[in-house]
Amino acid sequence: MTTARFRPLACVCLLGFAAAAPAAPPAVTYLFPAGVQRGQTVEVTAAGSFERWPVQAWCDGQGIEIRAAGDKGKLSISAAADVVPGVYWLRLHDEQGASTPRPFVVGNLPEVLEREPNDDPKKPQLLESSAVVNGRLEKVGDVDTFAVRLHKGQTVVASMLANRVLGSPMDAVLQVVSADGFVLGQNHDSNGLDPQIVFTAAADGIYLVRTFAFPATPTSAIRFDGAETYVYRLTLTTGGFAEYAYPLAVPRAFPGQVELVGWNIPEAARKVAVPGEAPDRVSHPQLANAVSVRLEPHPTAVEAEPNGRERPQPITLPVTISGRIDPAGDVDVYQFEAAKGQKLFFQVEAWALGFPLDPVLRLTDGTGKVLAQADDVGSSRDGSRDAELSFMVPEDGTYRIEVRDLHSGGGLRHVYRLRATLAEPDFDLTLAADRFILTPGKPLEIPVTVVRRNGFADEVVLSVVGLPEGVTAAPAVAAADAKSVTLRLTADAGPVAGPIRIVGKAKGKDEMARTARSPLAGLGASTADLWLTVARTESKK
């Protein structure tokens, strides 16, 4: 979850609750469909368990309106016409607690629902224009097939969102097939486990785009898999589609413009202004999608060729560099000055951003002597192929940091974001849960982990932002060597509920503030938007 600032509640559903016995809070496993076009309203099924209905709803951004319908699990979700496209996070809640946040996508294209049966390539679902298909591979052996009309030389982008953002437990495959059954293109894992195909028609005609899937966690079964949780959003467009914004990072103080790189992008949409505040993404009405841009507190730079080992590109730390390994076998080299005793930190992101580059970092001195090298930072469990490297400078001098692809690949999508900084003392705050229930008259203790880096040894003062009326939080200070601290919340009466954030500041350094985050299991994301429920006050007999 990428929200960087505390944002107001966008919507709650309208109905209250009658008195009832204690029950479990709402639990949501997925939303279907998982998105809506800007300026439109969609009826959504929230799969899960709801012991009481209706429930209330919360969203992490403005312009999204959510209403509970009469039938259990049914929602009406509207997106204002001026909402920034991208991923939003929704919670359902009642007096007993809240669900974990679920992703919901707002886009520019019209939305259609997959219609069964569409397994037979002779009876595909015909799409007359660019659209986002909301589908589900709901049973073992399911194959969904869509037909599009293309003219000779026309390019269609087929891009799926399923495992990477929606958390669907599927590993999908996309194919472009001719009307007589020949496979003309196939992709398996373009963005993590999600596929994407860019196909240019060699002749006028009808072409089929079909998808099937395997389980994200492999099993011994050899078959196409399916389940009701195999929810996807498939963008099929002959219009503008942005692959990424370049540069990938801009300074927060002076964000300026970025170029949108992709396919079929009209001239009017090639350059767009970065807002300089959350949400950190950009789009254009003539494009199908939005792409992210990182806002940095320090200067940024763009790779400039030639910048190989014979002619390295000069940089000054700290800096975030946007680069591209292109053509295949390319090596980008950056040269800088460093002083004895400085601790340097380099972090390259590509895999985490959905790009195929498997980056390798190599640090050398000015003569090219190798001093350190780093490949995958992730474990085999999380599969991250990005790299990090820390280095203590042994003497004043000239140094170089190199970026290349492990397999000597390269191309349009082999882009990366390299952060080259001085490893200064810093800290992060983490939580084991994103939802908490407080019983009136009984204190609620919330343990917060303090992750200290690079010798950070200051005290950390914690506070809770956005507490509901009637709830108090006692001051909490993590001592200079403490790895955790416990917040203590109390309330005299309930029910009341709402989003909160936990913020820690280095004592005496208000500018060094960090917001606690909690991981969202199965979604590859984390959230700073926590949820506090104060239970109903028990009546006295």
Side-chain angles (χ1 to χ4, degrees), residues 431-449:
L431 297 158
D434 64 279
R435 293 155 288 162
F436 304 94
I437 297 177
L438 171 58
T439 300
K442 298 179 181 180
L444 167 67
E445 293 187 343
I446 302 178
V448 182
T449 299

Side-chain angles (χ1 to χ4, degrees), residues 56 59 99 118 187 196 231 272 278 305 314 327 370 388 426 437 457 470 501:
Q56 295 179 302
C59 175
S99 69
N118 60 0
N187 183 262
Q196 178 173 294
V231 173
V272 295
E305 294 284 1
V370 178
E388 295 180 358
D426 204 347
I437 297 177
R501 287 194 168 193

Side-chain angles (χ1 to χ4, degrees), residues 176-196:
V176 175
V177 184
S178 66
D180 50 4
F182 288 95
V183 176
L184 304 175
Q186 176 171 306
N187 183 262
H188 193 178
D189 300 331
S190 180
N191 298 307
L193 295 183
D194 290 343
Q196 178 173 294

Side-chain angles (χ1 to χ4, degrees), residues 54-387:
V55 294
Q56 295 179 302
W58 173 88
C59 175
D60 75 336
Q62 299 184 43
I64 310 295
E65 185 177 356
I66 311 161
R67 291 187 175 90
D71 294 337
K72 182 179 290 189
K74 301 296 183 181
L75 304 170
S76 175
I77 303 180
S78 302
D82 59 352
V83 165
V84 178
V87 180
Y88 292 81
W89 294 83
L90 314 182
R91 282 189 196 270
L92 300 183
H93 63 96
D94 62 16
E95 290 184 8
Q96 303 303 319
S99 69
T100 190
R102 299 302 308 185
F104 190 77
V105 186
V106 177
N108 284 326
L109 293 180
E111 308 246 340
V112 300
L113 290 175
E114 172 223 350
R115 295 195 306 270
E116 293 284 1
N118 60 0
D119 297 59
D120 188 344
K122 296 180 180 179
K123 297 179 181 180
Q125 181 175 343
L126 179 63
L127 301 178
E128 297 289 355
S129 61
S130 297
V132 175
V133 180
N134 291 280
R136 178 162 46 193
L137 296 167
E138 58 187 356
K139 61 183 182 298
V140 171
D142 200 1
V143 178
D144 291 346
T145 309
F146 308 95
V148 294
R149 291 188 176 92
L150 298 177
H151 299 297
K152 180 179 180 179
Q154 194 171 25
T155 296
V156 62
V157 178
S159 184
M160 178 172 285
L161 202 64
N163 178 270
R164 182 175 174 80
V165 171
L166 302 182
S168 300
M170 57 188 277
D171 182 1
V173 178
L174 274 177
Q175 294 179 331
V176 175
V177 184
S178 66
D180 50 4
F182 288 95
V183 176
L184 304 175
Q186 176 171 306
N187 183 262
H188 193 178
D189 300 331
S190 180
N191 298 307
L193 295 183
D194 290 343
Q196 178 173 294
I197 290 181
V198 180
F199 175 79
T200 301
D204 293 355
I206 290 182
Y207 294 81
L208 306 181
V209 177
R210 68 185 178 192
T211 185
F212 48 87
F214 305 99
T217 301
T219 67
S220 59
I222 303 175
R223 64 187 184 189
F224 298 157
D225 204 27
E228 66 171 13
T229 53
Y230 281 34
V231 173
Y232 65 82
R233 286 172 56 82
L234 175 61
T235 297
L236 285 168
T237 181
T238 55
F241 185 91
E243 181 67 13
Y244 56 86
Y246 200 75
L248 299 168
V250 295
R252 183 180 294 275
F254 306 99
Q257 289 187 319
V258 291
E259 177 186 2
L260 296 180
V261 180
W263 299 273
N264 306 323
I265 297 179
E267 190 62 35
R270 290 195 176 277
K271 290 189 176 181
V272 295
V274 181
E277 57 185 16
D280 53 351
R281 54 183 180 261
V282 293
S283 184
H284 189 277
Q286 296 184 46
L287 299 181
N289 60 320
V291 290
S292 64
V293 179
R294 182 166 186 157
L295 302 174
E296 292 283 30
H298 52 243
T300 63
V302 175
E303 174 218 354
E305 294 284 1
N307 64 347
R309 290 167 182 162
E310 299 300 319
R311 190 177 175 181
Q313 180 176 338
I315 59 172
T316 301
L317 277 56
V319 65
T320 297
I321 305 164
S322 299
R324 182 164 39 217
I325 299 300
D326 188 21
D330 186 23
V331 178
D332 292 343
V333 185
Y334 305 96
Q335 182 168 290
F336 57 93
E337 301 297 318
K340 180 179 180 179
Q342 286 183 321
K343 187 176 182 181
L344 311 180
F345 180 69
F346 303 92
Q347 178 189 49
V348 62
E349 296 171 294
W351 187 256
L353 304 178
F355 301 121
L357 176 67
D358 188 350
V360 176
L361 288 174
R362 189 169 82 159
L363 182 73
T364 73
D365 63 15
T367 68
K369 178 183 176 182
V370 178
L371 303 175
Q373 183 166 303
D375 188 4
D376 298 347
V377 68
S379 65
S380 58
R381 178 181 56 81
D382 61 31
S384 175
R385 298 183 185 177
D386 292 335

